[in-house]
Amino acid sequence: MSVDAPTATQHAPGGASAAHQAAAKRRRRRNLLVGWSFILPNFLGFAALTLVPVIGALAISFTHWDSYSTPKWAGLDNFQRLWDDSNFWAALRNTLYYAAGHIPLTLVVALGLAVLLNQKLRGVHVLRTAFFFPYITSLVAVAVVWNMLLSPESGPVNQFLTFLGVDHPPGWTSSQDWAMPALIVTSVWRDMGYYMVLFLAGLQTVPAELYEAARMDGAGAWQRFWHVTLPGLRPTTFFVTVMITVSSFKVFDLVQVMTEGGPGRSTLVLSQLIFREGITQGRFGYASAVSLVLFLICLVITVIQFRMQRRSER
Amino acid sequence: MSTTVLRKDSSAPTPPAPAGPPEGPRARGGAVALLGQIALYALLAVVALAVLLPFIWMLISSVKDDRDVFTVPIQWIPEEFKWENFATIWTRVPFAAYLGNSFFLSIVITFLQVLTGSFAAYGFAKMRFPGRDLLFTGYIATIAVPWQAYMVPQYVIMQKFGLVNSYTSLILLQAFGAFGVFLMRQFYLTIPDEISEAARLDGLTEYGIWARIVLPLSKPALASLALLTFVNTWNDYMGPFIYLTDNRLWTVQLGLRAFIGQYDAESAMIMTGSVLSLAPVLAVFLLGQRYFVRGIATTGVKG
């Protein structure tokens, strides 16, 4: 890995040491230049359009700024407004609701699929492909199809529910109570294949001998899952959980295309509030304050999960 | 790192039931195992069908007449196939232009992302210099920051440079992402350092090692990154939605969304448009399926 590995030569006796040290120094300086030259083309774009905006969002949240005026220092005004804004609380509540449905469902379904499809079965790759396919479908197409599937009058889903004996099937995206569940179901359907692939990759790192040993000890399928699979998958499960969690707090496209936050504001989520206030209304300061909240939520979750991971490793 | 997650075991035959004596606990165990297998197949087949049902329904609806899309009960096989839907849609919306725009953006962004990403990844994976790890931590950290959190400052920057409503903004936003760097670095870490060490002794510069040794070795990873980036860009809705106001610049996703708003009642036509918007992705996916999965699986491997 290291290019300037031979530090041991620094302890070489006599006059050779000084020459070696000078050479090592030259090599280090050269490495710094060459190393940076590799990173620079990407870093310039990354710094200008990701790093600077991330820091900028923090700064803007303390200003009054709309798209016409020059920014004015506002202290905590934006956060005060946010505290009093019922839209903000609705968006926060809806985002938490979405996360509370999306995270556990996606996790369980993806893990279940991965375990089932990790078996030696004929044609298993066809099934894996089938489950993965929703993930690469565009959100617009997903939203269109699901909106039609879930249409309250004669959509296929409600036809099926009626067939099962449900008298008054829900109005789904046209109902304040059912719009969020509809979004959750659609998003689980879409995302499960992606996380299934991550779990499948993780399952292949669990040593087969462990299963063999468990079988010898008379462990049934369920015990093998509980005592071999789950512990072996712990690093994968941790990684997947962090990814699903952060992604569920970022949800935007699906909501924007399927419900636009409605009906009413029953599916308005934080990222949509940022978009509405910032891009549509041009209230940069206020939108950035909401951004900061969203950022802090994601940060706290990631830190907590990393802590928990470290503790469980001990 | 798993390279063939979707395909692994595909050729492995089902283990035969133990060929023990016809009676006794062993045979019964075999029979139970066989029944279990059948039940598992049935379960998986049902679940797979349920998962694919939206696509099946979309395909069928795309060749129906509008009034036949929502019949009670559902017609799984249309009475008449309206193949002409696929011909008329081009005259209703500038679908060809949208497709062209999407192709242009996806290809340019993919090319830049793969080029700058793989180049930077070499610096992070194979060179050692002060500040490297700190910088890389910065890259990783921004992956966890939701895009919406810095979308407004990004927009302001683009506005200041007069790049809103141009492809330049979208290209700049997506071509230098941290994801490509991360993915390529993960792969480069699996290439033994002895190889580049030997090349160094042979007098190759670091750039030479990148171009002539590491790049050729990482073709599968390059393909993974290229496919993932292409599909992500093709499917991106939010970026074009914010930055492209001019109808002539619209991508397929924007066109499709607008089409829905405008022709709400034409359910069949909307499904036709959806099928057309998915076709290139489906083609790319089926061609490079194993690279896709490899790329995704790689992101889950710690490095």
Side-chain angles (χ1 to χ4, degrees), chain B residues 34-278:
Chain B
L34 190 68
L35 273 180
Q37 288 248 307
I38 293 171
L40 183 63
Y41 264 119
L43 173 73
L44 284 173
V46 170
V47 179
L49 196 67
V51 167
L52 290 181
L53 214 54
F55 294 111
I56 299 167
W57 190 74
M58 173 170 90
L59 266 176
I60 291 166
S61 305
S62 74
V63 289
K64 277 185 177 177
D65 194 76
D66 276 324
R67 53 173 200 252
D68 293 339
V69 172
F70 291 111
T71 49
V72 183
I74 305 161
Q75 282 178 6
W76 286 106
I77 298 162
E79 273 169 23
E80 58 163 333
F81 286 85
K82 286 196 66 176
W83 298 108
E84 63 266 33
N85 284 355
F86 280 92
T88 37
I89 189 160
W90 307 91
T91 60
R92 304 292 298 278
V93 244
F95 224 86
Y98 296 153
L99 283 173
N101 293 341
S102 278
F103 269 113
F104 172 77
L105 268 180
S106 304
I107 287 167
V108 171
I109 288 171
T110 302
F111 177 76
L112 284 172
Q113 167 96 249
V114 170
L115 185 73
T116 68
S118 63
F119 197 59
Y122 185 87
F124 282 123
K126 296 288 173 199
M127 303 277 305
R128 175 157 289 188
F129 55 90
R132 183 196 69 173
D133 293 336
L134 184 72
L135 200 61
F136 189 68
T137 312
Y139 268 78
I140 298 279
T142 60
I143 295 183
V145 179
W147 181 51
Q148 289 82 9
Y150 54 93
M151 156 177 100
V152 172
Q154 259 181 353
Y155 188 79
V156 174
I157 293 174
M158 291 298 179
Q159 221 179 23
K160 293 280 173 239
F161 285 96
L163 295 175
V164 172
N165 203 22
S166 80
Y167 286 155
T168 316
S169 56
L170 285 177
I171 291 169
L172 287 174
L173 284 186
Q174 291 172 40
F176 303 103
F179 178 74
V181 179
F182 178 68
L183 188 78
M184 290 311 296
R185 177 181 170 272
Q186 292 286 80
F187 187 84
Y188 287 173
L189 290 178
T190 66
I191 300 176
D193 285 320
E194 288 78 23
I195 294 178
S196 28
E197 205 54 60
R200 236 167 250 140
L201 290 177
D202 286 345
L204 228 57
T205 65
E206 296 296 323
Y207 308 107
I209 297 172
W210 173 75
R212 290 164 62 181
I213 293 170
V214 171
L215 270 195
L217 278 177
S218 50
K219 269 183 204 146
L222 292 170
S224 302
L225 177 60
L227 289 172
L228 284 169
T229 313
F230 182 90
V231 169
N232 279 339
T233 319
W234 183 274
N235 285 341
D236 183 27
Y237 173 71
M238 182 83 176
F241 180 62
I242 291 176
Y243 282 98
L244 304 178
T245 44
D246 189 341
N247 189 323
R248 278 169 310 175
L249 297 178
W250 277 5
T251 60
V252 165
Q253 308 303 335
L254 289 182
L256 189 61
R257 184 71 190 82
F259 184 53
I260 297 158
Q262 228 173 331
Y263 302 94
D264 222 354
E266 297 183 68
S267 315
M269 210 36 109
I270 286 168
M271 290 294 102
T272 312
S274 304
V275 171
L276 282 176
S277 80
L278 278 187

Side-chain angles (χ1 to χ4, degrees), chain A residues 238-254:
Chain A
F238 165 71
F239 177 76
V240 169
T241 312
V242 173
M243 294 214 353
I244 298 180
T245 309
V246 172
S247 85
S248 73
F249 278 91
K250 297 197 276 193
V251 63
F252 176 85
D253 296 29
L254 189 71

Side-chain angles (χ1 to χ4, degrees), chain A residues 1 37 49 125 128 252, chain B residues 5-6 41 154 193 207 238:
Chain A
M1 177 116 201
S37 75
L49 294 159
H125 65 284
R128 289 175 184 172
F252 176 85
Chain B
V5 177
L6 286 186
Y41 264 119
Q154 259 181 353
D193 285 320
Y207 308 107
M238 182 83 176

Side-chain angles (χ1 to χ4, degrees), chain A residues 7-57:
Chain A
T7 43
T9 50
Q10 284 174 10
H11 301 291
S17 149
H20 269 294
Q21 269 181 14
K25 206 174 166 190
R26 254 199 321 277
R27 202 173 318 133
R28 270 202 299 276
R29 191 176 307 145
R30 207 186 64 89
N31 262 347
L32 185 64
L33 282 176
V34 177
W36 264 98
S37 75
F38 271 103
I39 293 163
L40 208 63
N42 187 281
F43 181 74
L44 285 180
F46 171 76
L49 294 159
T50 304
L51 223 48
V52 168
V54 167
I55 299 161

Side-chain angles (χ1 to χ4, degrees), chain A residues 44-267:
Chain A
L44 285 180
F46 171 76
L49 294 159
T50 304
L51 223 48
V52 168
V54 167
I55 299 161
L58 181 72
I60 296 172
S61 66
F62 296 102
T63 65
H64 285 302
W65 189 14
D66 56 46
S67 32
Y68 314 105
S69 67
T70 46
K72 267 196 296 280
W73 180 253
L76 293 174
D77 279 8
N78 288 319
F79 296 93
Q80 177 69 49
R81 230 192 91 203
L82 186 142
W83 185 264
D84 300 327
D85 182 0
S86 71
N87 277 341
F88 168 73
W89 293 108
L92 184 61
R93 206 169 45 239
N94 291 337
T95 307
L96 290 171
Y97 180 4
Y98 174 82
H102 179 81
I103 299 166
L105 278 176
T106 311
L107 206 56
V108 168
V109 172
L111 178 60
L113 282 178
V115 170
L116 285 180
L117 294 177
N118 193 40
Q119 319 212 15
K120 288 187 178 28
L121 288 174
R122 233 182 262 272
V124 80
H125 65 284
V126 177
L127 289 168
R128 289 175 184 172
T129 307
F131 292 124
F132 184 70
F133 189 59
Y135 179 71
I136 58 148
T137 312
S138 83
L139 270 166
V140 179
V142 167
V144 174
V145 175
W146 276 86
N147 262 347
M148 287 195 179
L149 285 173
L150 293 170
S151 93
E153 295 303 321
S154 44
V157 170
N158 277 358
Q159 279 198 41
F160 182 66
L161 287 177
T162 314
F163 170 77
L164 288 182
V166 179
D167 278 338
H168 300 286
W172 301 112
T173 51
S174 61
S175 139
Q176 300 235 1
D177 293 332
W178 286 99
M180 194 55 99
L183 285 174
I184 292 171
V185 168
T186 311
S187 67
V188 172
W189 171 81
R190 185 183 127 92
D191 290 349
M192 61 188 185
Y194 180 81
Y195 300 107
M196 174 195 79
V197 168
L198 290 178
F199 274 126
L200 277 170
L203 282 171
Q204 288 171 12
T205 64
V206 183
E209 301 86 65
L210 285 182
Y211 287 105
E212 217 34 70
R215 201 168 280 142
M216 296 288 234
D217 291 344
W222 181 249
Q223 281 172 310
R224 286 199 301 272
F225 172 75
W226 203 252
H227 295 292
V228 180
T229 309
L230 273 190
L233 271 183
R234 199 171 286 150
T236 313
T237 313
F238 165 71
F239 177 76
V240 169
T241 312
V242 173
M243 294 214 353
I244 298 180
T245 309
V246 172
S247 85
S248 73
F249 278 91
K250 297 197 276 193
V251 63
F252 176 85
D253 296 29
L254 189 71
V255 184
Q256 178 67 27
V257 185
M258 257 180 101
T259 64
E260 290 186 55
R265 57 183 184 194
S266 60
T267 57

